[in-house]
């Protein structure tokens, strides 16, 4: 095989070596090294090179396919670069495409050689076939070679005024690529973005807004004039573009309109979300006097609403977050049904949607209360889905539904998935603190669980009971006694520590038992977990202060054990406690207050949702999912006190009409189409002709799609 | 002759270099490679990982991201113990990994900055759907065998990390799916799988439909499929039940047909989501589905039946499962019977149940069908088949428990699957289907089916 290759390169060397000479400086150092190290690999590649240089397209294609296979597996195919790049001008479209794939992968590493291909693309940029123009632009902008920045810039500028919207779409994509290659081009790129934002094609809209978000998200002034157009085109934009546009418009609206919540915040934030019509009207009236929504604000809400019916979960979520952040609180409820629908989808979609619902349900319970049963857990759900559903159920718990919920929780506690059972116990604890009516019931239930066979369940119950007793420090001596008995059997450190803490804290309520517990634990001290040791020390200290007659010696003993413990923390704590409770000449003024320090009334722990603090992130974002700021997260601004001048969004009517008829060539389509909307509460926002013509496109579009694009092609040819 | 042709492209390239290339060199010779900008595109790279943790395919849309980034994923996978518990979003120091798990393959997307997570997840699912559409099944072997097509498709689906063409009608025009016939033809004639014209759909307002569709037999089939999700408690009463439905269509019609489909009782539909082809306004005002269909198979509509309507539960399960303390034997008996079936036969019944860990083995005899108990996964499955109301199928026997362990806290949950042909359990009925815009008379067909969705019986 290798012999064959040699002879070939000698004979057919006319083409290849000359090329190699041109690019000599970069290629030569790499090739020999590879030769020596991976001789077997090179042999194989040698035969690929041969195929690439063959005169038959089929051989070339086979070679390219194998190379793409190598790239896909993550194998290095970079040394074939010179051989591959020669085929960039191949007549065979599949070879060409595969060469493009190769170029995009390796051009960055072999910049000088990649330059060989540039002129081919430059030529292709002028091809009469729009697909070829577009893909040339795609590849040209994807080979990250800094030297060609000016060429890219030029190509983007030209493509942005191409007659084919498909090419213009690709131009919008190229903007982002050029920007990440050379951020210095920002100013020039913004000009192109400005131009493309004016574009009326639904194909371009999503891509250019994406470029806007990446390059200059702070330049909202560029959006003003295009705002109404974007709102009106939205329904017809492809789904991915819709997501990007909706997110951008959400940010935009928060800077341009005044808050629709101001008056209502107090009345609506709580449970009275669904109330009688009369009350509603009354409030609406009150509202009208104080606040009227900007028609543009209304336009956005109205035009995004149909998208809740999208089959794309990302679009539905985008609309939901828009309503959450922008709509009057009485209207935000319409998104819940659609969000609940998404729960039928794949596990990953469920995960994200449930997270967002969890955040929503903390602030506005009413939105999801009617769908309580949709969050019931199935034994087949993955654990992460189960815990999220449980979280939401807990958020939704109120006096009316708590008994049903607790019955449901009882099933969950018995679940074979012990992690989930433990989470349920915590949820019961939260319900118990939030709804005072059921605190006792919950506590009793949890005490029953103490005799459960599963250690994790018992341990979790102990921890939760401890928290509950702290919030209700009344007369729970019985429970504490019960727990003291458990100490003999429970081995989970957290649970043991919790019991010891409880006994210490309320030692005066169980004066007979507490010293005995200390006696037992003093015996086992050396074998306990660090966590438990610390609590034994605490218990000793507290007993020493309240009942020193019985426990003085025991405590001394425990303190001595602690003094020589292996753990730094425990030695430290021992020293600290000894100084505080055992008065000697060296101990300072503090020991006088030892009792106050140890037996102070401690604030009860708050049992809160882990989703409590997530609401400062915009819903539906990666940052919200992670509960930490992701790179590139754009803060959602607060509503302005006074709305900025709304007239900036006005578009010159004559100009836009002219532009429009220019494209369509059918001016008679200008007819009012407002009746397409069933809920036309506001007629007055028909100020701009853009909105009517935009809808016009939608209503007439289906009749002449073919013609439209035909026209485009013809004009171009 | 041969060398001359071979030299063609190379010669061209050389010429250009000495012209354009030199110019570039002289003007911008001292240009230092710029740092990539702070912001980055949505989806940076994609890794496909199989069940045994091998990365068997990688694709990068921007600069290459080392596959070592997947180590963070493997860590999370180890922690999760089960594949379906791997978190879909994993943060790493410089990237974020968003993944979906389907067909025993993890599709892991690498993200560098803020992006709506559902955007990526939904896209990944679309990728899987596309593969399934192209190759019939989506498996590691199929993907490896068709790696070139996979690569070409991925290339078209994303540009710089942003979705470009995700409609399968458009994709199939750009890159034709491999068929045996086409492979043979291609090897003989040297033609390719790659289209050289921009798919017309891409530019029109009906991007989901290709132009120039021709069939000799024009047919349109619609399947109304409803699924019942339910949780039934111990005593047989319904805790929650709801009906979700879809209308899947297979439309093979010539030209640009414009269809309308109306229902006898559209009020049943409480919440709907449409294929982009459905005109939303017509639905809002007249409750009629009006659309220019894509060519081939697609999901026209998904719906949810309003919660007010009581859901008919077509089957019941009688169960008697008991474990006793101290004894290593337990009793197990279940019987399945029809309930509200509107006179139709319940078929394709399948019972599965995850037994507690302490169950060692089960000795059971079914009155019909076959059953399997896997002692490793502790999964019992019983393929029942049809339910004959005269002779109810039952499964009886004993359970042997690990000696010395205490009895399980909870009885196992029973999952049920079944099918009822020619019935939409919600009562939804299609009224008529009309076609406008074309002259021929198509063959129209409609089929109803009811299935169990997530149907669980707690015992």
């Amino acid at each position: 095989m290798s012999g064959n290759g040699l002879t070939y390169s000698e004979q057919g060397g006319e083409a290849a070596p000359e090329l190699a000479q041109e690019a000599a400086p970069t290629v030569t150092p790499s090739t020999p090294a590879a030769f020596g190290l991976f001789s077997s690999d090179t042999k194989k590649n040698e035969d690929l090179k041969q195929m690439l240089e063959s005169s038959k397209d089929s051989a070339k294609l086979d070679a390219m396919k194998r190379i793409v296979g190598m790239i896909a597996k993550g194998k290095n195919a970079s040394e074939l670069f010179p051989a591959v790049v020669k085929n960039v001008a191949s007549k065979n479209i599949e070879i060409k495409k595969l060469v493009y794939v190769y170029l995009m992968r390796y051009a960055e590493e072999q910049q000088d050689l990649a330059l060989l291909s540039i002129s081919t693309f430059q030529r292709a940029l002028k091809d009469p076939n729009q697909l070829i123009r577009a893909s040339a632009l795609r590849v040209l902008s994807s080979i990250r070679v800094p030297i060609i920045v000016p060429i890219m810039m030029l190509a983007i500028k030209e493509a942005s005024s191409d007659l084919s919207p498909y090419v213009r779409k690709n131009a919008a994509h190229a903007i982002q690529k050029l920007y990440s290659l050379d951020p210095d081009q920002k100013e020039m790129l913004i000009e192109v973005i400005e131009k493309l934002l004016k574009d009326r094609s639904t194909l371009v809209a999503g891509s250019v807004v994406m470029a806007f978000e990446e390059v200059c998200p702070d330049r909202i002034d560029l959006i003003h004039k295009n705002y109404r157009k974007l709102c009106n085109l939205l329904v017809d934009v492809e789904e991915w573009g819709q997501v990007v546009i909706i997110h951008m418009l959400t940010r935009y609206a928060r800077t341009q309109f005044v808050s629709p919540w101001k008056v209502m915040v107090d009345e609506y934030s709580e449970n009275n979300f669904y109330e009688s019509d009369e009350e509603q009207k009354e409030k609406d009236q009150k509202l009208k006097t104080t606040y009227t929504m900007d028609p543009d604000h209304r336009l956005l809400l109205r035009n995004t609403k149909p998208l809740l019916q999208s089959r794309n979960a990302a679009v539905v979520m985008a609309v939901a977050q828009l309503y959450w952040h922008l709509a009057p609180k009485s209207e935000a409820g319409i998104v819940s049904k659609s969000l609940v629908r998404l729960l039928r989808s794949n596990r990953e979609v469920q995960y994200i949607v449930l997270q967002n619902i969890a955040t929503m349900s903390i602030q506005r319970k009413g939105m999801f209360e009617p769908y309580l049963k949709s969050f019931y857990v199935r034994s087949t759900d993955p654990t992460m889905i189960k815990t999220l559903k449980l979280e939401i159920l807990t958020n939704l718990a109120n006096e009316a539904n708590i008994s049903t919920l607790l019955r449901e929780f009882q099933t969950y506690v018995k679940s074979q998935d012990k992690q989930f059972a433990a989470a349920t116990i915590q949820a019961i604890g939260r319900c118990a603190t939030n709804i005072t009516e059921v605190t006792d019931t919950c506590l009793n239930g949890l005490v029953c669980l103490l005799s459960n066979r599963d250690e994790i369940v018992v341990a979790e119950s102990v921890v939760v009971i401890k928290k509950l007793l702290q919030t209700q420090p009344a007369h729970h001596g019985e429970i504490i006694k019960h727990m003291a008995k458990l100490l003999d059997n429970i081995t989970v450190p957290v649970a043991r520590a919790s019991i010891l803490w409880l006994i210490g804290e309320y030692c005066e309520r169980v004066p007979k038992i507490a010293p005995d517990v200390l006696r037992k634990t003093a015996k086992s001290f050396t074998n306990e977990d660090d966590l438990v040791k610390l609590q034994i020390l605490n218990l000793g200290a507290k007993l020493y202060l309240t009942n020193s007659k019985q426990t003085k010696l025991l405590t001394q003993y425990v303190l001595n054990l602690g003094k020589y413990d292996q753990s730094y923390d425990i030695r430290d704590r021992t020293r600290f406690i000894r100084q505080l409770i055992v008065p000697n000449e060296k101990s300072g003024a503090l020991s006088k207050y030892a009792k106050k320090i140890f037996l102070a009334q401690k604030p009860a722990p708050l049992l809160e949702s882990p989703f409590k603090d997530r609401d400062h992130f915009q819903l539906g974002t990666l940052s919200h999912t992670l509960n930490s700021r992701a790179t590139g997260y754009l803060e959602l601004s607060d509503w302005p006190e006074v709305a900025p001048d709304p007239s900036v969004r006005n578009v010159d009517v004559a100009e836009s009409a002219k532009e429009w008829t220019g494209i369509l060539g059918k001016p008679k389509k200008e007819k009012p189409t407002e009746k397409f909307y069933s809920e036309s509460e506001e007629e007055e926002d028909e100020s701009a002709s853009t909105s009517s013509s935009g809808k016009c496109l939608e209503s007439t579009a289906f009749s002449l799609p073919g013609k439209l694009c035909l026209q485009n092609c013809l004009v171009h040819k | 002759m041969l060398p001359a042709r071979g030299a063609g492209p190379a010669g061209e390239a050389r010429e250009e270099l000495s012209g354009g290339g030199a110019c570039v060199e002289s003007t911008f010779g001292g240009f230092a490679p710029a740092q990539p900008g702070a912001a980055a595109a949505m989806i940076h790279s994609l890794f496909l990982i199989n069940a045994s943790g091998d990365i068997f395919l990688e694709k990068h849309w921007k600069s290459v991201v080392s596959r070592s980034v997947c180590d963070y994923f493997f860590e999370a996978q180890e922690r999760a113990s089960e594949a379906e518990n791997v978190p879909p979003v994993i943060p790493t120091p410089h990237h974020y990994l968003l993944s979906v798990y389907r067909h025993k393959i993890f599709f892991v997307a690498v993200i560098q900055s803020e992006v709506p997570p559902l955007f990526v997840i939904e896209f990944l699912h679309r990728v899987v759907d596309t593969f399934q559409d192209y190759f019939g099944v989506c498996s590691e072997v199929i993907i490896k065998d068709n790696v070139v097509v996979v690569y070409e498709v991925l290339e078209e689906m994303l540009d710089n990390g942003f979705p470009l063409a995700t409609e399968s009608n458009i994709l199939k025009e750009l890159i034709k799916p491999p068929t045996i016939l086409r492979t043979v033809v291609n090897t003989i004639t040297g033609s390719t799988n790659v289209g050289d014209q921009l798919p017309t759909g891409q530019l029109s307002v009906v991007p989901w439909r290709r132009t120039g569709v021709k069939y000799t037999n024009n047919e349109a089939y619609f399947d109304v499929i409803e699924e019942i999700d339910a949780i039934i408690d111990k005593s047989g009463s319904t805790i929650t039940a709801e009906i979700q439905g879809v209308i899947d269509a297979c439309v093979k019609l010539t030209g640009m047909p414009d269809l309308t489909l109306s229902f006898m009782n559209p009020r049943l539909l409480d919440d709907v989501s449409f294929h982009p082809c459905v005109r939303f306004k017509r639905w809002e005002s007249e409750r009629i589905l009006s659309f220019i269909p894509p060519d081939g198979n697609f999901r026209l509509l998904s719906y949810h039946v309003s919660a007010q309507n009581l859901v008919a539960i077509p089957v019941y399960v009688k169960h008697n499962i008991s474990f006793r303390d101290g004894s290593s034997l337990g009793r197990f008996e279940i019987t399945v019977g029809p309930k509200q079936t509107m006179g139709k036969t319940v078929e394709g019944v399948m019972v599965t149940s995850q037994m507690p860990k302490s169950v060692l083995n089960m000795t059971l005899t079914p009155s019909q069908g076959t059953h399997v108990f896997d002692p490793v996964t502790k999964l019992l499955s019983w393929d029942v088949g049809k339910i004959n109301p005269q002779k109810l199928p039952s499964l009886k026997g004993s359970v042997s428990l690990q000696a010395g362990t205490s009895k399980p806290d909870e009885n196992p949950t029973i999952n049920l699957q079944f099918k009822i042909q020619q019935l939409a359990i919600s009562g939804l009925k299609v009224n008529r289907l009309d076609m406008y815009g074309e002259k021929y008379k198509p063959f129209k067909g409609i089929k109803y089916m009811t299935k169990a969705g997530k149907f669980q019986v707690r015992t």
Side-chain angles (χ1 to χ4, degrees), chain B residues 257-274:
Chain B
D258 197 331
L259 304 179
T260 58
L261 187 134
S262 61
F263 298 100
M264 306 276 266
N265 38 9
R267 276 166 174 237
L268 278 175
L269 307 184
D270 174 41
D271 179 48
V272 282
S273 76
F274 302 119

Side-chain angles (χ1 to χ4, degrees), chain A residues 111-122:
Chain A
Q111 308 217 344
D112 291 356
L113 275 176
L115 292 178
L116 290 173
S117 59
I118 303 298
S119 58
T120 321
F121 298 129
Q122 280 178 307

Side-chain angles (χ1 to χ4, degrees), chain A residues 70-91:
Chain A
M70 284 165 72
I71 297 177
K73 281 193 204 113
K75 285 188 191 147
N76 188 9
S78 61
E79 61 149 20
L80 289 163
F81 203 97
V84 173
V85 80
K86 276 183 293 183
N87 292 304
V88 72
S90 168
K91 293 275 176 299

Side-chain angles (χ1 to χ4, degrees), chain A residues 18 22 55 65 68-69 71-74 86 89 92-94 97-98 101 104-105 108 116 119 123 129-131 138 144 146-147 150 165-166 169-170 173 176-177 180-181 183 203 210 214 239-240 243-244 247 306 309-314 317 337 341 344 346-352 373 376-380 382-384 408 411-412 414-416 418 452-453 620-623 625-626 630-633 676-678 698 701-702 705 709, chain B residues 2 5 9-10 12 14 16-17 24 28 33-37 39-42 57-58 62-64 67 84-86 88-89 91 96 99-101 112-119 121-123 125-126 147-148 151-152 155-156 158-160 162-164 166-167 192-194 196-198 202-206 227 229-231 239-240 244 270-276 279-281 284 325 354-356 406-407 409-410 413 415 454 456 458:
Chain A
E18 273 180 53
E22 295 276 356
S55 56
K65 283 185 171 170
V68 168
I71 297 177
K73 281 193 204 113
K86 276 183 293 183
N92 181 312
I93 190 131
E94 189 163 14
K97 277 218 164 162
L98 295 177
V101 169
M104 290 190 213
R105 171 68 179 77
E108 207 174 5
L116 290 173
S119 58
R123 213 171 324 118
N129 182 333
Q130 49 183 340
L131 181 62
R138 263 181 79 182
R144 296 161 291 274
I147 247 176
Y166 184 70
K169 183 189 180 71
N170 277 281
H173 286 188
Q176 306 163 47
K177 299 183 212 166
S180 65
L181 184 64
L203 209 56
M210 186 66 213
E214 206 116 294
E239 39 198 356
W240 310 107
V243 179
V244 177
H247 273 272
Q309 256 64 53
S310 171
R311 63 167 172 175
N312 187 319
M317 190 64 232
K337 197 190 275 178
R341 183 185 73 228
R344 287 274 302 168
N346 307 75
R347 139 196 109 96
E348 297 86 7
V349 176
Q350 282 185 44
Y351 175 73
I352 305 286
K373 288 191 172 173
Y376 278 12
V377 173
R378 288 159 205 282
S379 59
T380 39
T383 310
M384 59 178 181
E408 184 69 14
T411 342
Y412 301 167
K414 284 187 261 165
S415 164
Q416 290 173 32
K418 290 304 165 201
N452 193 290
R453 246 176 305 252
T621 60
L622 185 62
S623 305
T625 295
L626 296 169
T631 343
Y633 174 74
F676 274 100
Y677 288 94
S678 51
E698 210 202 331
F702 293 103
C709 71
Chain B
L2 283 182
R5 256 184 75 191
E12 260 175 26
R14 181 161 53 90
E16 241 102 286
L17 180 77
V24 166
F28 308 101
Q35 286 299 307
M42 291 201 152
L57 186 115
E58 62 179 73
K62 303 203 71 190
S63 300
V64 177
R67 34 167 85 196
E84 57 175 15
N85 271 327
V86 178
V89 182
Y96 305 95
S99 63
V100 306
Y101 179 64
Q112 225 169 22
S113 62
E114 176 62 51
V115 54
L118 269 187
F119 186 101
I121 285 169
E122 184 77 20
F123 175 79
H125 280 302
R126 204 63 70 81
V147 70
V148 175
Y151 238 67
E152 285 169 341
E155 193 69 46
E156 290 303 330
L158 275 186
D159 179 21
N160 196 38
F162 191 79
L164 195 60
T166 51
E167 282 297 335
T192 69
N193 279 333
V194 178
D196 61 350
Q197 285 294 326
L198 184 68
Q202 187 69 278
L203 286 177
S204 73
V205 220
V206 278
E227 290 192 358
D229 285 359
I231 302 178
I239 295 180
T240 145
Q244 315 267 351
D270 174 41
D271 179 48
V272 282
S273 76
F274 302 119
H275 188 274
R279 291 172 189 124
F280 182 70
K281 308 237 167 75
E284 280 285 88
D325 249 335
Q354 180 71 51
M355 290 293 146
S406 47
K407 80 169 179 121
D409 296 332
E410 189 198 31
T413 311
N415 294 301
K454 294 172 181 162
Q456 296 200 333
R458 293 176 179 165

Side-chain angles (χ1 to χ4, degrees), chain A residues 236 660 664 666-673 676 692-708, chain B residues 204-206 258 279 281 292:
Chain A
D236 293 322
W660 188 238
L664 249 188
K666 285 183 185 171
K668 59 170 183 180
K669 296 271 149 49
E670 292 278 338
K671 59 181 179 197
T673 47
F676 274 100
S692 70
S693 54
K695 272 165 230 150
C696 202
L697 170 72
E698 210 202 331
S699 55
T700 55
F702 293 103
S703 56
L704 60 143
K707 276 183 211 152
L708 241 181
Chain B
S204 73
V205 220
V206 278
D258 197 331
R279 291 172 189 124
K281 308 237 167 75
I292 296 175

Side-chain angles (χ1 to χ4, degrees), chain B residues 168-179:
Chain B
S168 81
N169 262 264
I170 288 185
L171 280 170
K172 282 185 174 167
E173 269 185 84
L174 283 168
I175 297 129
K176 306 209 172 57
T179 59

Side-chain angles (χ1 to χ4, degrees), chain B residues 16-287:
Chain B
E16 241 102 286
L17 180 77
S18 53
C23 156
V24 166
E25 204 63 57
S26 62
T27 329
F28 308 101
F31 216 94
Q35 286 299 307
M42 291 201 152
I43 297 168
H44 221 98
S45 306
L46 176 71
F47 293 98
L48 303 197
I49 299 174
N50 66 11
S52 47
D54 298 324
I55 305 170
F56 66 92
L57 186 115
E58 62 179 73
K59 170 97 183 85
H60 308 274
W61 283 273
K62 303 203 71 190
S63 300
V64 177
V65 177
S66 159
R67 34 167 85 196
S68 63
V69 77
C70 293
D71 292 349
Y72 293 99
F73 178 83
F74 294 134
E75 256 173 50
Q77 195 181 10
E78 224 161 89
R79 239 175 291 133
S81 70
E82 266 171 79
E84 57 175 15
N85 271 327
V86 178
V89 182
I90 301 167
T92 79
H94 301 287
H95 300 92
Y96 305 95
L97 305 178
L98 275 66
S99 63
V100 306
Y101 179 64
R102 276 176 73 182
H103 305 291
K104 301 219 157 56
I105 302 172
F106 281 104
F107 295 74
V108 184
V110 183
I111 311 294
Q112 225 169 22
S113 62
E114 176 62 51
V115 54
L118 269 187
F119 186 101
V120 180
I121 285 169
E122 184 77 20
F123 175 79
L124 290 177
H125 280 302
R126 204 63 70 81
V127 169
V128 185
D129 293 342
T130 309
F131 287 169
Q132 231 175 334
D133 198 29
Y134 260 79
F135 311 122
V137 278
C138 177
S139 69
E140 184 185 349
V141 180
I142 287 282
I143 290 176
K144 277 182 172 165
D145 285 353
N146 294 286
V147 70
V148 175
V149 179
V150 165
Y151 238 67
E152 285 169 341
V153 169
L154 286 176
E155 193 69 46
E156 290 303 330
M157 288 186 85
L158 275 186
D159 179 21
N160 196 38
F162 191 79
L164 195 60
T166 51
E167 282 297 335
S168 81
N169 262 264
I170 288 185
L171 280 170
K172 282 185 174 167
E173 269 185 84
L174 283 168
I175 297 129
K176 306 209 172 57
T179 59
I180 295 168
L181 179 68
R182 190 169 297 124
T183 322
V184 174
V185 171
N186 285 355
T187 31
I188 296 166
T189 62
S191 61
T192 69
N193 279 333
V194 178
D196 61 350
Q197 285 294 326
L198 184 68
T200 42
Q202 187 69 278
L203 286 177
S204 73
V205 220
V206 278
W208 52 85
R209 187 172 180 89
R210 57 195 181 96
T211 47
V213 184
K214 270 207 184 88
Y215 290 101
T216 41
N217 294 322
N218 289 293
E219 18 181 52
Y221 296 105
F222 293 86
D223 294 354
V224 180
I225 302 164
E226 297 195 332
E227 290 192 358
I228 308 175
D229 285 359
I231 302 178
I232 312 288
D233 80 356
K234 234 185 185 113
S235 59
S237 53
T238 311
I239 295 180
T240 145
E242 49 189 353
I243 302 172
Q244 315 267 351
V246 294
I247 299 184
D248 282 340
C250 175
V251 176
K252 293 180 173 170
L253 297 175
T254 308
M256 269 284 168
D258 197 331
L259 304 179
T260 58
L261 187 134
S262 61
F263 298 100
M264 306 276 266
N265 38 9
R267 276 166 174 237
L268 278 175
L269 307 184
D270 174 41
D271 179 48
V272 282
S273 76
F274 302 119
H275 188 274
C277 70
V278 176
R279 291 172 189 124
F280 182 70
K281 308 237 167 75
R282 274 298 285 283
W283 173 257
E284 280 285 88
S285 53
E286 303 167 57
R287 300 276 138 173

Side-chain angles (χ1 to χ4, degrees), chain A residues 11 45 62 81 92 96 130 133 289 297 299-300 322 346 449 463 471 540 543 554 568 580 582 657 662 713-714:
Chain A
Q11 288 174 351
N45 288 349
D62 276 347
F81 203 97
N92 181 312
K96 198 154 138 167
Q130 49 183 340
R133 287 205 302 283
T289 55
H297 190 172
L299 176 75
L300 177 60
L322 182 134
N346 307 75
L449 285 179
V463 176
T471 56
L543 282 173
L554 258 178
Y568 184 92
L580 262 180
V582 189
C713 299
L714 284 178

